[in-house]
Amino acid sequence: MHRRYLFVFAAAIAFSNAVAAQEFRPDTIIALERAAMDRWAKGDPAGFIEIFADEVTYFDPSTERRVDGIAAMRARFAPIAGLVKLSRYEILNPDVYRRGDLAVLSYNLVTYGQRPDGEPRTARWNTTEVYALIGGKWKIVHSHFSQPQPQVANPNAQ
């Protein structure tokens, strides 16, 4: 009889551990993104490099083709290290969708900084980051930045 209780207790612990392993908080993904953006704002692209998976893929408006792999991303970010400086940024409307070991973060990004001539610069982006749970850590496997459609003035308005 003692063994039966021990078995039930062990099964309950195993079940609770499995449930805990499946617990997911969207804030975990958003916090990873914010930490990387905090470093980016100070000119340090390594915040993203550290959370990219080895097989990351990447698009932004300046890419002619998809960028493949962590080595290519290191090479892409190396020339801008120390150059990007933002006074602040906003992550607006973040949404995280999770399915198994994948989580998709999408949000609107607004960055505030200065051009080389000292003029203020505001940039707006639509951002999608696909995270995968790899070795117990969330890593970006795909990153995509695009610019929102500009609002065109109504030619008939007076």
Side-chain angles (χ1 to χ4, degrees):
M1 191 69 134
H2 215 22
R3 287 185 183 163
R4 182 175 179 193
Y5 289 116
L6 184 59
F7 174 77
V8 170
F9 181 69
I13 289 173
F15 178 75
S16 68
N17 286 343
V19 169
Q22 291 181 347
E23 285 181 19
F24 174 76
R25 300 190 56 216
D27 291 344
T28 300
I29 298 295
I30 295 168
L32 286 169
E33 193 77 8
R34 283 190 192 282
M37 275 303 303
D38 287 348
R39 289 176 66 180
W40 182 270
K42 296 174 184 169
D44 180 10
F48 279 104
I49 296 294
E50 291 171 7
I51 61 172
F52 283 152
D54 289 345
E55 58 279 345
V56 67
T57 57
Y58 177 87
F59 284 114
D60 75 26
S62 70
T63 58
E64 183 177 333
R65 295 191 173 146
R66 185 185 64 235
V67 179
D68 294 325
I70 192 70
M73 289 307 298
R74 281 189 184 106
R76 180 170 184 76
F77 286 172
I80 61 171
L83 299 179
V84 175
K85 303 285 177 148
L86 303 175
S87 56
R88 66 186 175 99
Y89 68 89
E90 296 175 283
I91 291 178
L92 305 173
N93 310 310
D95 183 64
V96 179
Y97 171 82
R98 180 188 182 195
R99 181 78 175 216
D101 288 346
L102 289 178
V104 178
L105 168 63
S106 59
Y107 62 94
N108 303 104
L109 176 65
V110 183
T111 60
Y112 303 89
Q114 289 184 341
R115 298 173 195 240
D117 63 5
E119 286 293 314
R121 177 173 171 22
T122 300
R124 298 179 189 288
W125 304 93
N126 294 326
T127 307
T128 304
E129 304 278 34
V130 180
Y131 283 79
L133 194 56
I134 300 171
K137 294 182 180 183
W138 288 102
K139 298 282 194 172
I140 296 172
V141 294
H142 181 71
S143 182
H144 190 143
F145 287 78
S146 63
Q147 294 178 319
Q149 290 286 65
Q151 291 187 354
V152 179
N154 184 347
N156 298 326
Q158 296 188 15

